[in-house]
Amino acid sequence: MNDMTPNRDERVANLKGLGCKRKRVEDARFTQGKGNYVDDIKLPGMLFGDFVRSPYAHARIKSINAEAALALPGVIAVLTAKDLEPLGLHWMPTLAGDKQMVLADGKVLFQGQEVAFVVASDRYVAADAIELVEVEYDDLPVITDPFKALEDGATVLREDIADKKEGAHGPRRHPNHIFLWEEGDKAATEEVVSSADVVAEEMVYYHRTHPCPLETCGCVASMDKINGKLTLYGTFQAPHVVRTVASLLSGIDEHNIRVVSPDIGGGFGNKVGVYPGYVCSIVASIVTGKPVKWIEDRMDNLMATAFARDYWMQGKIAATKEGKITGLWCHVTADHGAFDACADPTKYPAGFFHICTGSYDIPVAYVGVDGVYTNKAPGGVAYRCSFRVTEAAYFIERMIEILAQKLGMDAAELRRINFIKKEQFPYHSALGWEYDSGDYHTAWDKALEAVDYKGLRREQAERLEAFKRGETRKLMGVGLTFFTEIVGAGPVKNCDILGMGMFDSCEIRIHPTGSAIARLGTISQGQGHATTFAQILASEIGISADKITVEEGDTDTAPYGLGTYGSRSTPVAGAATALAGRKIRAKAQMIAAYLLEVHDDDLEWDVDRFVVKGAPERFKTMAEIAYASYNQAIPGLEPGLEAVSYYDPPNMTYPFGAYICVMDVDVDTGVADIRQFYALDDCGTRINPMVIEGQVHGGLTEALAIAMGQEIAYDEMGNVKTGTLMDFFLPTAWETPNYVTDHTETPSPHHPIGAKGVGESPNVGGVPAFSNAVHDAFRAFGLKQSHMPHDHWRIWKTANSLGLHG
Amino acid sequence: MELKEEILIPAPRDQVYAALNDPEILKESIPGCEELIKHSDTELEAKVVLKIGPVKARFGGNVTLDPSGAPEQFSLVGEGSGGAAGFAKGSATVELEDRGEETLLRYDAKAEIGGKLAQLGSRLVQSTAKKLAAKFFATFAEKVTEAQAVSEQPAETA
């Protein structure tokens, strides 16, 4: 080697591949206001559409009079259900096998429901016109409580399916019932529960909240009547699925539809579903022949687009006197709102909720979920989690704490004696999952040691004594959580959305000068795909991540994929990227063998080049090979260096983590000060530690919001009481504590690079950690369960109900 | 939402009662009232412009009076719609206590509000409603006193 060739360490560093703390390449434009979001898209002659929304949660529509609105200069059209009906578009299918009104058809079922679509020359005229549309309502009784919805004689909400005894997921036993979905062995579980030494029983409610991305939902639909091509820009977490759905709904051939997701300002599940705004914009563009933009405002977003959670989880956990768990029983009453528009894989109407046995070796379990209609907005999306995993984690981590309390045991020890052991993996859970890998004891011991768990308990006991002596009004809580996620949906054999198997894809083109472009079927909403997928590829093909463009979101150029949600990008598209890279490398090896005049088998891969075995001075770098692939005729090989991979994962991945939150709770003001938060994540192979840390910080802050104050609250009339950011809690730097992050590394045995996904773990594990800390502060006073969010008022009420105010 | 208040009006009870049934005085007293039509002794129709926080809307509504307990007491129910801004339904009981030259007016009102108005948070709506009620009665008391002065004048000159 001559002096100009960098040594091996330098070559590895130049790659910026796996494990490199590479700065996010996206941030240059995001931090300088140069992102290109959907509202930045302005097309010539573009019109603006906006909705007349229902102020009532349940009412019959007597009449809609758009005369005054149409008389306003600049108003082009006012669409109602009557206009969409001839096209068959006044209702649309939901992702959950139900159907949903696009525009109110005879009645409204939730506050904020879309009643009419005003199309005007700009958004200000549209806003004025909305005020001029006169809608006469006849109000009907409102049901906001899912238990009341199932009572005999309850007002029938969905008159369109009132008599249907069968829904998309089996029998319905009440007009307001959607489905009962069950998993596990009910009889055996009930037998164990009825004969156990100890049973802890509790109703655990995970309240209704909202993903609330900073950028609301929106789109621009542009129908070119000359060439028959529809272009749809929008905030889509799954652009290819949107294209297929748009084609099936509109009858436009799929090749004539181009869906583009530009930069997206956060999704968190909110941007997975198909909303009436998309349908109305497309119809309006077809009718007017002009591009039509629709962008939600904040109130629209909080009031009408997909909510999350709202699960009432009744649990029974059985154990021996020594604390060995023998069974878990769970029944959920799931409030789905007015339409079942949950975004779950088709076969799983309650998502992956049956991961609710958590990290514990529980021999027998049963779970049943009743889906119920109420007069609330539809949705039920996975808010930074994989399909109801966060509800499951919260449920089991609360049940463990309640069981520990009943047993009089330390909750950390109770977890330890029930963890699935390292040698039990792959582990088959009682509810049907195959956990791919894990090492829970190691992670747990590391976490407890890092926070000096025993010291914390000593301090807590001292504080309690001081409180009883009247020396302090602050109690100390230690919130423990050990969670296991199930992400990376998923195997095509059991995971699909609207019939499309949940594989994902990557297509790579190497350019002659040794740089590359990779296109994927996913779409970043802030996760940093352009940074991390380039790193995966850099390590596979020996081209620096800085010389690889990652492009997503344009269905005309990207290979078909199912999109980004449920932490599936790295487990599925990341795997496709690695495998496509390996195809590139296989062809590169043949080219190198030709150039070096040796047999393929005589070469070995070394960081960024093929080297002749035993002759390190004879090599060809990837840059040289790329150039040769375009300019030399190589016998038996096609020119060029390209590859595509469609990856169907054999299993999900199972990231896990240990989170510990320490807080001081003022019993008089209800203020909870978070003193310490320690988060250990095991996401398998770590692609970019800095991106992981950023993801964990973001997810923990959302978890803080959810656990401590964020809520979509309704009054009895069905009014959304939290329709603005004044009432809907979104933490700022002011409320956000410091986080300490840590890790262990247990690679996935089936993923090509062993990566598991991490973006959602902090939301899944963070919520029970915060909530358990609040509960733990009051444990000595007998508190079993107090529902989230733990805002100051609720904490004060808890203290008051326990008689701590004297 | 509930509103409860009492106010002393410097006029005899009969006059206060008459003023409460006088569309002209009511129209001038109700903040933002653009139109008040009396369809019968018990049926009124009103158009009122309301501004609560960032929401400004024209409400159209009907009010039905129940004067069966007059002049000591009467009650009313009403509902109004402000289109995109929301809607309101309410009822009130008004009691008039004779204090010689003065009248003590007590009212007890209940209201349900919906739509954008309700979403702004009940704290804003409640305080605004209180302010509006106070403004109404302040103006109302003024108008009744003026009317009293006018009606007394000819008697003096005669």
Side-chain angles (χ1 to χ4, degrees), chain A residues 508-519 541 543 547-549 584 622-630 640-642:
Chain A
I508 301 167
R509 290 184 197 169
I510 309 294
H511 308 313
T513 53
S515 63
I517 182 167
R519 295 190 169 105
I541 64 174
I543 290 175
K547 292 187 175 184
I548 301 170
T549 298
I584 296 277
M622 260 321 263
E624 292 171 304
I625 297 167
Y627 194 62
S629 75
Y630 284 93
L641 195 49
E642 297 187 7

Side-chain angles (χ1 to χ4, degrees), chain A residues 179-262:
Chain A
F179 60 80
L180 169 63
W181 182 80
E182 295 176 289
E183 190 62 72
D185 190 334
K186 189 179 186 186
T189 306
E190 285 174 352
E191 168 61 30
V192 166
V193 168
S194 66
S195 61
D197 291 354
V198 181
V199 178
E201 187 171 354
E202 193 52 65
M203 171 66 92
V204 177
Y205 178 47
Y206 199 137
H207 60 292
R208 179 175 276 238
T209 182
H210 194 282
C212 192
L214 286 188
E215 179 203 28
T216 58
C217 299
C219 70
V220 178
S222 179
M223 184 72 202
D224 183 332
K225 288 191 173 178
I226 308 295
N227 64 18
K229 189 148 183 160
L230 170 70
T231 306
L232 185 62
Y233 303 88
T235 48
F236 310 125
Q237 288 183 240
H240 294 275
V241 179
V242 169
R243 186 186 71 189
T244 302
V245 172
S247 173
L248 293 172
L249 281 180
S250 66
I252 301 171
D253 284 339
E254 204 164 348
H255 75 285
N256 273 334
I257 302 177
R258 176 180 170 217
V259 175
V260 182
S261 294

Side-chain angles (χ1 to χ4, degrees), chain A residues 359 440 443-444 481-485 655-659 680-682 761 765:
Chain A
S359 316
Y440 300 164
W444 195 228
T481 284
F482 198 99
F483 66 93
T484 296
E485 275 203 279
F656 57 91
Y659 290 0
L680 178 150
D681 274 285
D682 191 319
S761 299

Side-chain angles (χ1 to χ4, degrees), chain A residues 99-309:
Chain A
K99 56 178 185 160
Q100 175 179 351
M101 292 179 204
V102 173
L103 290 171
D105 183 20
K107 69 188 269 189
V108 287
L109 285 155
F110 65 94
Q111 188 184 59
Q113 188 177 334
E114 300 82 357
V115 174
F117 191 65
V118 173
V119 185
S121 53
D122 68 44
R123 72 183 306 161
Y124 300 97
V125 176
D128 288 345
I130 283 169
E131 307 271 325
L132 296 173
V133 176
E134 291 164 25
V135 186
E136 259 192 292
Y137 299 94
D138 236 348
D139 61 337
L140 295 165
V142 172
I143 304 179
T144 55
D145 177 338
F147 297 97
K148 286 190 179 148
L150 291 181
E151 282 171 5
D152 288 340
T155 304
V156 176
L157 304 186
R158 289 287 300 277
E159 287 161 356
D160 58 304
I161 50 167
D163 301 327
K164 278 197 166 179
K165 302 286 177 216
E166 195 80 21
H169 307 287
R172 301 168 65 224
R173 63 170 193 270
H174 185 285
N176 296 331
H177 185 238
I178 309 171
F179 60 80
L180 169 63
W181 182 80
E182 295 176 289
E183 190 62 72
D185 190 334
K186 189 179 186 186
T189 306
E190 285 174 352
E191 168 61 30
V192 166
V193 168
S194 66
S195 61
D197 291 354
V198 181
V199 178
E201 187 171 354
E202 193 52 65
M203 171 66 92
V204 177
Y205 178 47
Y206 199 137
H207 60 292
R208 179 175 276 238
T209 182
H210 194 282
C212 192
L214 286 188
E215 179 203 28
T216 58
C217 299
C219 70
V220 178
S222 179
M223 184 72 202
D224 183 332
K225 288 191 173 178
I226 308 295
N227 64 18
K229 189 148 183 160
L230 170 70
T231 306
L232 185 62
Y233 303 88
T235 48
F236 310 125
Q237 288 183 240
H240 294 275
V241 179
V242 169
R243 186 186 71 189
T244 302
V245 172
S247 173
L248 293 172
L249 281 180
S250 66
I252 301 171
D253 284 339
E254 204 164 348
H255 75 285
N256 273 334
I257 302 177
R258 176 180 170 217
V259 175
V260 182
S261 294
D263 284 331
I264 297 180
F268 314 115
N270 192 226
K271 294 166 180 171
V272 172
V274 174
Y275 294 120
Y278 306 156
V279 178
C280 289
S281 302
I282 293 171
V283 171
S285 180
I286 293 172
V287 170
T288 62
K290 291 185 171 175
V292 176
K293 178 186 275 188
W294 164 72
I295 305 282
E296 286 176 334
D297 69 17
R298 181 62 59 194
M299 283 180 90
D300 295 340
N301 181 253
L302 286 173
M303 204 164 49
T305 54
F307 75 95
R309 326 294 192 231

Side-chain angles (χ1 to χ4, degrees), chain A residues 311-346:
Chain A
Y311 256 35
W312 291 90
M313 304 174 282
Q314 181 74 38
K316 295 175 200 173
I317 187 163
T320 64
K321 287 193 286 289
E322 295 76 31
K324 187 80 188 95
I325 301 169
T326 53
L328 179 72
W329 181 95
C330 179
H331 177 266
V332 181
T333 302
D335 186 339
H336 284 220
F339 307 98
D340 187 9
C342 287
D344 293 312
T346 307

Side-chain angles (χ1 to χ4, degrees), chain B residues 22-105:
Chain B
D22 182 338
E24 266 314 305
I25 291 185
L26 286 177
K27 189 187 158 190
E28 287 174 40
S29 307
I30 298 170
C33 185
E34 290 184 335
E35 209 177 295
L36 190 76
I37 304 164
K38 195 167 175 178
H39 291 296
S40 73
D41 280 350
T42 56
E43 304 279 330
L44 293 168
E45 191 188 324
K47 276 205 167 54
V48 179
V49 174
L50 269 180
K51 189 174 182 310
I52 300 178
V55 180
K56 184 179 174 186
R58 181 174 281 108
F59 276 71
N62 296 302
V63 178
T64 309
L65 301 173
D66 174 7
S68 55
E72 290 88 16
Q73 192 223 48
F74 72 100
S75 56
L76 52 96
V77 290
E79 58 178 11
S81 166
F87 59 90
K89 287 192 274 195
S91 61
T93 309
V94 179
E95 283 174 13
L96 299 176
E97 199 183 301
D98 193 353
R99 296 246 174 127
E101 287 306 296
E102 293 179 331
T103 307
L104 185 69
L105 185 153

Side-chain angles (χ1 to χ4, degrees), chain A residues 111 208-210 212 298-299 301-303 709-715 719-729 789, chain B residues 118-121:
Chain A
Q111 188 184 59
R208 179 175 276 238
T209 182
H210 194 282
C212 192
R298 181 62 59 194
M299 283 180 90
N301 181 253
L302 286 173
M303 204 164 49
Q710 192 174 82
E711 176 185 25
I712 294 288
Y714 287 83
D715 66 13
N719 286 309
V720 182
K721 295 200 292 180
T722 48
T724 73
L725 294 185
M726 189 161 90
D727 296 299
F728 186 83
F729 174 45
Chain B
Q119 288 169 7
L120 292 171

Side-chain angles (χ1 to χ4, degrees), chain A residues 458-477:
Chain A
R458 262 196 311 276
E459 188 192 341
Q460 184 184 34
E462 284 160 15
R463 177 77 70 83
L464 185 62
E465 289 311 310
F467 180 84
K468 286 177 178 168
R469 290 195 300 269
E471 292 164 16
T472 177
R473 296 297 287 161
K474 286 185 179 178
L475 293 167
M476 180 177 155

